[in-house]
Amino acid sequence: MNRGRPRKTDPDKALETAMKLFWKQGFEGTSMNDLAAATGMAKPGLYATFGDKEAVYAKALEHYFKEFGSPLIDELLKCPHALDTVIRHFLQAIATSASDKKSPGGCFLVNSVIECSDQSAALEDLGRSLNMNRREALLERFKAAKNHGELPADADPKALADFFAGQALALSVMGRGGSDRKSLERFIDVAMTALPAVRRQ
């Protein structure tokens, strides 16, 4: 009995490749033909494994968040170091990713949110939801810091979360625009001046 040709392309590797292609070219700038050429999978194989272009893009966004977003959020929430050290490291990690010459520029999630006018409502909602996880993690960390006395009694965790989430977004946009690491570090230095005095435990 003919069983057909064995699948030659590892779906996990294909998804990684698709993620990097979307990250570099955006949703609108990437076609199924582009994905087929980059991954080595014929279009019928892509459809069978992942679905249409929108489905591939959604899976690529989720894969990016799992690989890059979740570890950063876990460290933000669980690191035992002082708040200022944790927030600076959080911003530096984003700067490192945004300025990495081996990867497409910026943050894929941020790029997706910026590009949302070219996407369906479902993809727009997914990108915003994943990106919002970063802001919610910051809010949780600032609330905990205030409860533990690391922040002054009049500190506003919500305002701080909004501000530093915005700085994270700005770093990603700057990285995509070609800013070098020294420029990003100077930006971080200025951003950190907005953090109220941290009491060392």
Side-chain angles (χ1 to χ4, degrees):
M1 176 185 292
N2 248 342
R3 298 186 180 182
R5 294 181 180 177
R7 184 171 299 183
K8 295 181 179 179
T9 305
D10 181 345
D12 292 335
K13 290 182 179 179
L15 184 57
E16 178 79 11
T17 300
M19 178 194 75
K20 289 181 178 177
L21 191 62
F22 279 128
W23 187 354
K24 180 180 180 181
Q25 298 182 181
F27 179 78
E28 190 64 25
T30 304
S31 68
M32 288 298 283
N33 285 334
D34 294 331
L35 291 168
T39 62
M41 295 179 73
K43 283 198 289 185
L46 281 171
Y47 283 113
T49 304
F50 301 112
D52 61 12
K53 188 175 89 164
E54 184 171 318
V56 182
Y57 189 82
K59 288 180 174 65
L61 273 178
E62 290 166 347
H63 178 67
Y64 177 90
F65 184 77
K66 179 181 177 182
E67 292 295 311
F68 296 97
S70 289
L72 191 57
I73 286 174
D74 284 345
E75 184 171 1
L76 180 66
L77 294 174
K78 298 174 183 177
C79 182
H81 296 150
L83 179 65
D84 56 347
T85 300
V86 172
I87 297 302
R88 180 177 288 276
H89 186 266
F90 169 76
L91 294 177
Q92 287 175 330
I94 293 170
T96 297
S97 176
S99 59
D100 184 357
K101 301 302 182 185
K102 297 178 181 178
S103 298
C107 165
F108 183 24
L109 287 178
V110 172
N111 296 349
S112 177
V113 170
I114 292 172
E115 192 195 19
C116 66
S117 60
D118 296 324
Q119 302 168 11
S120 69
L123 284 184
E124 181 180 349
D125 288 345
L126 175 61
R128 291 188 186 280
S129 174
L130 292 175
N131 199 52
M132 185 58 69
N133 287 332
R134 186 158 52 191
R135 187 263 179 196
E136 293 303 313
L138 282 164
L139 178 58
E140 186 175 338
R141 180 72 195 215
F142 285 127
K143 283 182 175 179
K146 184 174 180 178
N147 289 338
H148 295 152
E150 277 194 279
L151 287 173
D154 60 352
D156 185 343
K158 183 179 183 299
L160 287 170
D162 289 340
F163 176 80
F164 282 99
Q167 304 316 294
L169 188 152
L171 284 166
S172 298
V173 173
M174 290 169 68
R176 186 170 179 82
S179 295
D180 61 24
R181 184 57 189 267
K182 285 185 178 179
S183 297
L184 299 182
E185 286 290 345
R186 287 195 296 268
F187 181 90
I188 291 170
D189 287 340
V190 174
M192 290 299 298
T193 64
L195 189 67
V198 173
R199 182 174 70 80
R200 297 285 172 174
Q201 299 295 313

